[in-house]
Amino acid sequence: MLNVEVLTLFPELVEQVVRHGIPRKAVECGALALRTRNFRDYGAAGDRRVDDRTYGGGPGMVLDAESLARTVAAAKAALGPAAKVIALSPQGARLDQHWVRRLATETALVLVCGRYEGWDERAAGLFDAEVSLGDFVLSGGELAAMAMVDALARLLPGAVGDQASVEYDSFSAGLLDHPHYTRPEVWRGAAVPEVLLSGDHARIARWRLKQALGVTWLKRPDLLADLELSDEQRRLLREYIAETGMDQPGAAAPAKD
Ligand code: SAH
């Protein structure tokens, strides 16, 4: 059971994440509980104002440290001292599947969503970690927290009907997922690879592994560089490269400007 509290100025936005799909199922089956807490209910100024101007001048407002500290304290009081406090920040460690897997084993998480220019730097000591969704700037931490809750929910037991589907996902084994097909067998002249209709499970497993290695080589060669491939995996990748006639990894990566 994972208890998550999201600290935010926009609780009604965050709550949407458990209204649909797998996160909703995770809540319904008791694997996940999501609560929100509004900084404004803990405003240090005695009103609902929790932001102030930035010292040194310049544009933008900052969440004040005391309101944030009080909100974090309330969340920890509700969840227990073991709760890990994670702040969403573009300056944090990039969220990846390793992080998600590690966090999914926790029992309680407090996710702190900044707004405006972020929070008073002196509040940063309240966080066990800072996590970023990527190298771009959102206007608030809510979408990042929602993305985290979604990624966590699908790893919790009971949330996804067939856990095998999660194990084969992109990144689970350090590789991207193999391609998937569904009916019809021929769509606008393009046929489903014959092996997938063969019923030969060993051949299908070999094909899928080869494709996973191949698409990772094509689209994310940086991921492959981090892996120690077995002899069999190396052989499969060589086959893939020979079959597709490509000799340059990263050929399918999106062009950077
Ligand atoms: N001035 C800050 C950005 C503030 S953006 C800076 O440049 O570091 C406002 C809030 O949006 C942040 O406090 C953070 O909670 C959230 N946020 C913005 N980009 C994010 C990202 N890439 N990942 C996670 N949270 C992000």
Side-chain angles (χ1 to χ4, degrees), residues 32-194:
L32 173 70
L34 177 79
R35 282 184 208 88
T36 52
R37 213 173 271 275
N38 194 331
F39 299 117
R40 294 197 192 284
D41 295 331
Y42 300 87
D47 51 22
R48 292 180 65 76
R49 180 158 183 182
V50 293
D51 62 319
D52 212 333
R53 288 189 304 260
T54 182
Y55 274 121
M61 302 297 277
V62 180
L63 286 168
D64 75 75
E66 181 59 23
S67 304
L68 203 140
R70 289 183 186 181
T71 319
V72 169
K76 285 191 100 166
L79 294 176
K84 291 261 161 37
V85 182
I86 313 275
L88 286 314
S89 162
Q91 303 184 11
R94 185 92 67 92
L95 186 66
D96 63 14
Q97 196 65 13
H98 295 289
W99 261 97
V100 175
R101 263 202 299 267
R102 187 142 37 99
L103 292 173
T105 65
E106 299 286 344
T107 54
L109 295 174
V110 179
L111 305 182
V112 181
C113 303
R115 278 274 157 179
Y116 321 119
E117 292 308 315
W119 41 77
D120 185 310
E121 189 59 31
R122 292 167 291 182
L126 299 166
F127 311 142
D128 295 303
E130 290 185 21
V131 168
S132 166
L133 217 55
D135 290 342
F136 50 88
V137 183
L138 296 162
S139 57
E142 286 76 14
L143 288 174
M146 291 163 80
M148 254 177 103
V149 169
D150 183 293
L152 286 164
R154 54 197 301 293
L155 296 188
L156 300 176
V160 173
D162 183 357
Q163 274 297 318
S165 75
V166 169
E167 278 157 38
Y168 288 118
D169 276 329
S170 291
F171 309 116
S172 282
L175 297 172
L176 301 182
D177 197 7
H178 58 76
H180 296 268
Y181 299 87
T182 186
R183 287 187 293 183
E185 278 182 30
V186 178
W187 177 74
R188 298 190 183 178
V192 171
E194 168 277 324

